[in-house]
Amino acid sequence: MIRPRSLRAQITLASCLLVVIVVALSGLAIAIRIDKQDRDQVDQGLEARAAKVVAESVEPATDAKSSSETTKPAEENDLLAGSESLTRLLIGTTVVEQRGESLEGGIPGADADGLSTMTIEGQKWRSLVVAAGPEPERRVQVLQSLEPVEARLADNRRLIVIVAALASALTGAGAWLLSGLLLRPLSRLRDAALSIHAGSGDQQLPTPNSPAEVAELSATLNGMLERLQRSMEATKRFTADAGHELRTPLTGLGADLETLRRNPGISADKREEMLEAMGAEHQRIVRLLDGLQSLARGDSEVLPGREAVEVSEILREAVIAARRRYPRVTFQLTPPSEPAVLECWSDGLRLAIDNLLSNAAIHGKPDGLVEASVEVTEETMVLAVADDGPGVDASLRQRVVSRFSRGPEPRGCGSGLGLSIVEQQARLLEGALSLGESDAGGLSAQITLPRGNQPSSGKS
């Protein structure tokens, strides 16, 4: 069977089939019930008639009796007659007397008492044979034609077919019209989707109020469009930032390589100085690309699912790694007084902590102290990293969070993306980054996360 591709046609066809099945089954059940009642009435009529014939009939005439004795009143003979029926008095298999319909074909013998159905002259008859006296061979057979019952059953079947066909046609027309109205919001969604193309901006699909399924589909598609738009914007921003920020170091590298190529006799000290500078530029490019990649991934919000993590354990591992990267800096860790479990993206949280520790180590004192801590309150969880460097003036703290922005007197070879990455990851974790002054006069950076992200009790 070829199924139509149109949803509207499928709904119409399904509705028609359902109506045909329901009407046909219902009508068939009613017709069977009526037919059974008709046949029960025929059986009851046969039983009543046979009982009356047995009660009022007289013994058939014999050769010893006079002709006057064999003559019965008309009303008694009428008991043996009936419309589309036949009554016979039998002695053994011999028919003594018969009244009713005149049947040219032979009537099957009554071999056994009781009800039975037989075919006479191509028509079905219902037969009842009962004993008609003390003699065991004396019996009465009453027959009734089933032609009216069969005709009524055939009429009912035809009526079922007609009603099912009409109901299917009416249902199909109604389903076609109603499905067109119900599917109109889908048509609007399709037309709106066709109008959306690359570079079309923040276009959205219409959001109908009903039906609920179409409204949910529209909301889902709009969410998908927003994610795709953010991903495209992140890609564009990554390309623009990379092109802008990489031009200078790549130009410097190219100039140094050209100098080395044109001056093969350059002194060893000068060559070593240039190679060291080129290595530093290479490391800067790598750090810049890593930072841009992290920002692009966060901007697109293509993140893995959240999991329950122990924040203090992630902070401890990050401090151990920072000690290896900056051996001259002293890192001091203050663990929380209670378990600090949070539902979050663990890699994003680790990325933010790593950048805070690196920022503090680079911009603090060369042999200074960096303090890291986690504080758990009733409603929040605060991760803090403080250094003993010169700090950042309050009027400049908001600006240094911007991408590629560095302080007025930058130290080290940072890319200007560290605090931007921290701010982005804090936002993705539904928290916030705040900058202040540490107790040692340096910069204190705090990530405040809501404890609403904490998993339920018993979940690790």
Side-chain angles (χ1 to χ4, degrees):
M1 179 180 178
I2 300 177
R3 186 174 64 180
R5 298 179 59 185
S6 167
L7 179 59
R8 187 179 185 184
Q10 290 182 21
I11 293 175
T12 302
L13 179 60
S15 301
C16 292
L17 290 177
L18 181 61
V19 169
V20 167
I21 293 173
V22 172
V23 172
L25 291 178
S26 301
L28 184 60
I30 295 173
I32 292 174
R33 178 66 177 173
I34 294 175
D35 184 65
K36 185 178 182 304
Q37 291 177 349
D38 290 344
R39 294 178 187 274
D40 289 344
Q41 289 179 359
V42 170
D43 290 345
Q44 293 172 5
L46 289 176
E47 291 173 354
R49 189 173 180 190
K52 192 171 183 180
V53 170
V54 170
E56 300 184 8
S57 65
V58 295
E59 294 183 358
T62 63
D63 295 338
K65 295 185 179 180
S66 64
S67 60
S68 60
E69 292 177 332
T70 58
T71 303
K72 304 298 179 185
E75 60 271 13
E76 291 184 5
N77 291 332
D78 290 342
L79 293 174
L80 304 179
S83 175
E84 294 185 322
S85 63
L86 178 65
T87 303
R88 302 195 303 174
L89 296 178
L90 305 173
I91 295 180
T93 59
T94 303
V95 178
V96 176
E97 192 168 359
Q98 176 175 310
R99 291 289 188 275
E101 289 288 332
S102 177
L103 300 177
E104 297 179 357
I107 301 175
D111 297 332
D113 295 352
L115 291 166
S116 62
T117 302
M118 58 183 61
T119 302
I120 305 174
E121 296 181 356
Q123 296 182 3
K124 289 185 177 181
W125 288 70
R126 191 67 168 164
S127 170
L128 173 62
V129 179
V130 296
E135 298 85 351
E137 294 185 353
R138 184 181 176 85
R139 295 178 297 167
V140 172
Q141 182 181 24
V142 185
L143 297 96
Q144 178 68 47
S145 174
L146 293 178
E147 184 178 1
V149 176
E150 296 289 337
R152 184 174 182 182
L153 178 61
D155 291 342
N156 288 337
R157 288 174 177 172
R158 284 192 294 271
L159 181 61
I160 291 172
V161 173
I162 294 173
V163 171
L166 291 176
S168 177
L170 293 175
T171 301
W176 181 263
L177 295 175
L178 291 177
S179 60
L181 295 176
L182 294 175
L183 295 176
R184 188 172 298 172
L186 280 179
S187 299
R188 289 197 293 266
L189 286 181
R190 180 200 59 192
D191 296 339
L194 291 174
S195 66
I196 296 177
H197 53 84
S200 58
D202 297 332
Q203 292 193 15
Q204 295 284 299
L205 298 175
T207 305
N209 295 325
S210 63
E213 292 79 4
V214 178
E216 293 174 359
L217 175 62
S218 176
T220 302
L221 292 177
N222 282 331
M224 180 193 68
L225 289 174
E226 291 177 1
R227 291 191 297 272
L228 290 176
Q229 185 68 25
R230 286 196 297 267
S231 180
M232 292 178 60
E233 291 298 329
T235 303
K236 292 179 181 178
R237 188 168 187 174
F238 174 84
T239 304
D241 291 344
H244 179 270
E245 294 299 322
L246 292 177
R247 183 179 293 109
T248 299
L250 288 176
T251 301
L253 281 175
D256 289 340
L257 289 173
E258 183 66 18
T259 301
L260 291 175
R261 187 182 68 82
R262 291 186 176 184
N263 299 279
I266 195 171
S267 64
D269 293 341
K270 185 64 174 178
R271 178 183 297 275
E272 184 65 26
E273 180 183 347
M274 293 181 66
L275 290 175
E276 185 177 350
M278 291 169 64
E281 287 298 314
H282 172 263
Q283 292 297 323
R284 180 187 173 191
I285 292 173
V286 171
R287 287 192 298 270
L288 185 61
L289 286 174
D290 288 341
L292 287 173
Q293 186 179 27
S294 299
L295 286 170
R297 185 167 56 246
D299 287 342
S300 63
E301 298 186 10
V302 182
L303 307 176
R306 296 191 176 195
E307 58 181 352
V309 298
E310 176 60 57
V311 177
S312 58
E313 181 64 20
I314 292 181
L315 181 59
R316 185 185 68 82
E317 294 175 356
V319 168
I320 293 174
R323 287 170 180 164
R324 292 195 295 265
R325 294 197 305 272
Y326 309 100
R328 298 179 58 185
V329 178
T330 300
F331 290 88
Q332 179 178 325
L333 174 61
T334 303
S337 58
E338 59 179 281
V341 181
L342 200 68
E343 287 276 359
C344 68
W345 177 40
S346 58
D347 291 342
L349 182 62
R350 174 64 185 270
L351 178 64
I353 295 174
D354 284 341
N355 277 275
L356 284 181
L357 294 174
S358 295
N359 187 76
I362 293 173
H363 299 289
K365 292 181 180 180
D367 299 316
L369 172 67
V370 175
E371 298 178 316
S373 64
V374 180
E375 181 181 354
V376 179
T377 65
E378 183 177 352
E379 297 181 353
T380 61
M381 185 179 299
V382 181
L383 291 89
V385 175
D387 62 61
D388 54 359
V392 178
D393 188 81
S395 60
L396 300 177
R397 289 171 187 165
Q398 185 63 36
R399 185 171 69 87
V400 297
V401 178
S402 303
R403 301 183 182 189
F404 307 109
S405 178
R406 307 179 70 187
E409 298 180 0
R411 300 173 58 186
C413 54
S415 63
L417 296 177
L419 291 179
S420 299
I421 293 174
V422 175
E423 189 277 333
Q424 180 197 69
Q425 296 302 319
R427 174 172 47 80
L428 292 176
L429 294 171
E430 302 178 6
L433 169 67
S434 60
L435 302 179
E437 184 177 345
S438 68
D439 295 338
L443 181 67
S444 174
Q446 295 182 339
I447 300 177
T448 303
L449 302 174
R451 292 199 69 188
N453 292 338
Q454 185 175 356
S456 58
S457 176
K459 187 176 181 179
S460 59

